[in-house]
Amino acid sequence: MLDSLNPSPVNSSLVSGPKLVARAIWWSWALFFLVLGSRLVVFAYAGSPLPYYDQWIAEYNNMLLGAVGGNGVLSTLFVPHNEHLPVIPRLLCLIGYLLNGYWDVEFLAICSAFVRAFVAMFAFRLLSSGSTAAKGAIFMACVVVFAAPLSGYNQLCGFQVCFYFAELALLWSIWTVLRWTSPWRSGLTLVFSLVIGLLSLASAIVIPFATLIVHLAVGERRRGFWIAWATSLGMAALFAFISASANSPPISLKRGYEIMRFFSALLSWPLLNSICGIVAAAFVALGLVRVLRTSLSRSQALAAAFGLSAFGAGNALLIAISRTPSTLHMRHWETLALLPLGLFAILLGMAQEFPGRRKFLHSGVVALAVVYLFFFAALIGSQSWPYIRAAHDDRDEAVTHYRRLLLSGDIVVRSLWMNDRLARRNYSFFDDSINRFALHPAVARNINGAPLSSLSLLAPELIPTREPSFVSGLVRAVKNAGWMFFLLGGFLALAALIFRAPEPLSRAPSSSAS
């Protein structure tokens, strides 16, 4: 009977369990501030008050000019932008306009940094499980994917927040499937999250594929799931049909072969090797089959990893259909980075779920992490950082150039010349630290037709007609405090690392029978 007073191994794990949960929460907020701080530091170093090329059309021309012209805002929110319908980012832009009294692109860039940080924290909470070492490995993988400047373009262009809202919708959908409660509550949430994604970026049409993978991987019965899933699939298919019929040419046999070859290369991004991509796809497929044959009701993190990989692979296919290797741009890199993150989490999760092969899988996790870390570092050093440095070096010259252009009388002629030059250079114009801000000729004509009302929408850095608003001053204060957020994230990560759960009381040897 004396032995019953000593804590059993189960009780000991219950004692340390809350400590592990607390440490995961610390790591979550550490990741949030690391991602937020790193993006703010980069933007403070190389960001600009100039709108990027697509922003002139999607925000300024299609929404704000229409609102000023008396067409109203609601009618302009749903104007398509290529194959996308970025209603949510436009609403965020409109909020900034109402708060400032003018169009401040830095407001959207700061909001983009916050949304990306929430995506990172949400992804970590979904993917992390098991031991402290496993959580630490996922934390480091998330730091590389979300905090490292993989895409200089996405960190400097606030309108890329549309990517991050679509990813938030994905994570929300996965979370809903894993914590399914009722047909109405969870089913409506699943459909609503897809709507949020589709109103942010066309990449959200892959979300039903990802949620199906998660549902099958866990293998639990969810009342009302198939009705909600079929509804979301139908909405995504309708959105894809409308977008494809309006923007995509017919695919020939030769083009189909090029798409599949490009797709297989994207599966191994950033290696961009077709053979490696096929091997990675085969491994994930075999792993999914192995998971489906095993009861994994406890391994929600592994199921979430399969869902994240499915989303990344689906978007790789969309990129392969709409792009070519020569037009692959760094704006897509952060979405493609979800592929190696998901693959890393799958390997780590399988190593915990299948003890018989743990040593082999742990070796695979380490090897994969080393390979991708090397290529991530090479990508940043060869492309992202030179892009950011060029944007910093030529920022003042670009602002002066466009201020003079907007106030000159030959704005339409100059915009036609620049647009033609950019079209000839294809996507290489994004590496031009001045011409990536080029005015679209349609925007230039609208400005030229009503210069007073059109130019009054621009920020004081471009058209010095007013003092900066209070909100703009607050935005710039947050931007300049990026290094403080980054240090706070590092401090929280260090605190979580050295924070130790108390050792359970050891069982005393019994000298007599109970």
Side-chain angles (χ1 to χ4, degrees):
M1 296 297 294
L2 294 176
D3 287 342
S4 63
L5 299 178
N6 294 327
S8 66
V10 174
N11 291 334
S12 300
S13 64
L14 292 176
V15 171
S16 59
K19 299 295 184 180
L20 293 178
V21 173
R23 183 179 296 187
I25 294 175
W26 281 45
W27 268 337
S28 298
W29 283 107
L31 181 63
F32 175 87
F33 286 112
L34 283 172
V35 174
L36 176 63
S38 66
R39 299 185 77 88
L40 293 180
V41 166
V42 170
F43 189 77
Y45 174 76
S48 173
L50 286 170
Y52 275 72
Y53 186 75
D54 280 358
Q55 288 182 277
W56 284 111
I57 291 289
E59 298 178 59
Y60 184 76
N61 189 79
N62 292 349
M63 185 178 69
L64 295 179
L65 282 182
V68 172
N71 296 331
V73 175
L74 292 180
S75 61
T76 61
L77 283 176
F78 294 89
V79 175
H81 179 67
N82 299 327
E83 69 273 22
H84 309 292
L85 195 63
V87 176
I88 305 300
R90 281 176 177 158
L91 283 173
L92 199 58
C93 170
L94 183 62
I95 291 173
Y97 166 71
L98 295 175
L99 292 175
N100 286 307
Y102 53 82
W103 183 38
D104 184 9
V105 298
E106 294 197 5
F107 173 85
L108 197 60
I110 301 305
C111 292
S112 176
F114 275 93
V115 176
R116 184 62 170 174
F118 275 115
V119 169
M121 184 170 64
F122 202 166
F124 170 74
R125 294 305 299 272
L126 281 175
L127 297 176
S128 62
S129 68
S131 65
T132 301
K135 287 185 172 67
I138 290 295
F139 175 81
M140 293 306 300
C142 288
V143 168
V144 172
V145 169
F146 294 107
L150 296 181
S151 168
Y153 179 85
N154 282 14
Q155 298 213 3
L156 301 180
C157 179
F159 197 62
Q160 299 307 300
V161 71
C162 55
F163 283 79
Y164 311 146
F165 276 120
E167 291 169 8
L168 269 181
L170 164 74
L171 299 175
W172 191 9
S173 299
I174 292 176
W175 183 89
T176 300
V177 174
L178 292 176
R179 290 159 177 79
W180 196 270
T181 56
S182 65
W184 283 106
R185 181 178 178 181
S186 299
L188 290 177
T189 302
L190 187 66
V191 174
F192 180 72
S193 61
L194 177 68
V195 172
I196 296 298
L198 293 176
L199 295 181
S200 302
L201 198 70
S203 63
I205 62 176
V206 187
I207 290 179
F209 175 56
T211 54
L212 176 63
I213 295 296
V214 173
H215 172 73
L216 295 177
V218 176
E220 294 180 350
R221 184 175 180 273
R222 297 176 176 87
R223 292 179 57 244
F225 170 80
W226 289 110
I227 296 177
W229 181 82
T231 303
S232 64
L233 177 64
M235 296 173 61
L238 179 62
F239 187 96
F241 174 78
I242 296 174
S243 301
S245 61
N247 297 283
S248 299
I251 298 178
S252 63
L253 185 62
K254 180 181 179 181
R255 175 59 181 152
Y257 170 75
E258 294 173 349
I259 289 173
M260 295 311 298
R261 185 176 180 180
F262 188 29
F263 171 59
S264 62
L266 290 176
L267 290 178
S268 68
W269 186 91
L271 283 70
L272 291 179
N273 183 286
S274 298
I275 302 299
C276 292
I278 294 173
V279 172
F283 175 82
V284 173
L286 291 174
L288 183 60
V289 171
R290 179 72 172 88
V291 166
L292 292 178
R293 295 174 59 186
T294 309
S295 176
L296 289 179
S297 59
R298 296 176 291 106
S299 183
Q300 295 187 344
L302 182 55
F306 275 106
L308 199 68
S309 300
F311 182 79
N315 274 278
L317 180 60
L318 294 180
I319 293 172
I321 293 173
S322 59
R323 306 286 180 186
T324 63
S326 62
T327 60
L328 179 64
H329 185 252
M330 66 173 68
R331 73 170 73 188
H332 305 291
W333 289 354
E334 291 177 338
T335 298
L336 289 175
L338 297 179
L339 272 170
L341 176 61
L343 184 59
F344 178 83
I346 287 172
L347 276 172
L348 193 64
M350 291 176 66
Q352 297 180 87
E353 286 296 321
F354 309 125
R357 301 182 179 180
R358 181 169 295 175
K359 185 176 180 179
F360 170 76
L361 290 171
H362 277 170
S363 300
V365 170
V366 174
L368 183 70
V370 171
V371 169
Y372 275 107
L373 187 61
F374 172 79
F375 279 96
F376 278 142
L379 184 73
I380 295 171
S382 64
Q383 298 191 43
S384 293
W385 180 244
Y387 180 92
I388 294 170
R389 187 173 60 246
H392 166 77
D393 294 341
D394 298 329
R395 175 173 51 190
D396 294 339
E397 181 183 354
V399 173
T400 302
H401 172 83
Y402 279 93
R403 184 187 295 126
R404 187 187 311 116
L405 175 64
L406 290 167
L407 296 176
S408 67
D410 62 344
I411 179 175
V412 176
V413 176
R414 288 285 296 172
S415 66
L416 286 170
W417 176 82
M418 286 191 297
N419 198 65
D420 181 64
R421 179 187 175 207
L422 300 181
R424 290 197 307 270
R425 295 183 63 196
N426 215 330
Y427 276 81
S428 60
F429 78 86
F430 284 108
D431 298 322
D432 190 321
S433 54
I434 292 180
N435 286 288
R436 66 171 175 267
F437 304 110
L439 277 164
H440 192 279
V443 181
R445 292 189 185 96
N446 288 333
I447 293 177
N448 201 46
L452 291 180
S453 60
S454 301
L455 297 179
S456 66
L457 292 173
L458 300 179
E461 292 90 347
L462 298 179
I463 308 296
T465 58
R466 63 172 76 85
E467 291 294 325
S469 68
F470 170 79
V471 174
S472 287
L474 184 62
V475 163
R476 280 143 186 81
V478 172
K479 176 185 69 177
N480 294 329
W483 63 273
M484 298 178 63
F485 290 116
F486 189 83
L487 289 178
L488 176 59
F491 173 79
L492 290 176
L494 182 62
L497 184 63
I498 64 177
F499 180 76
R500 299 291 182 184
E503 292 293 332
L505 297 176
S506 60
R507 181 189 296 269
S510 176
S511 59
S512 61
S514 56

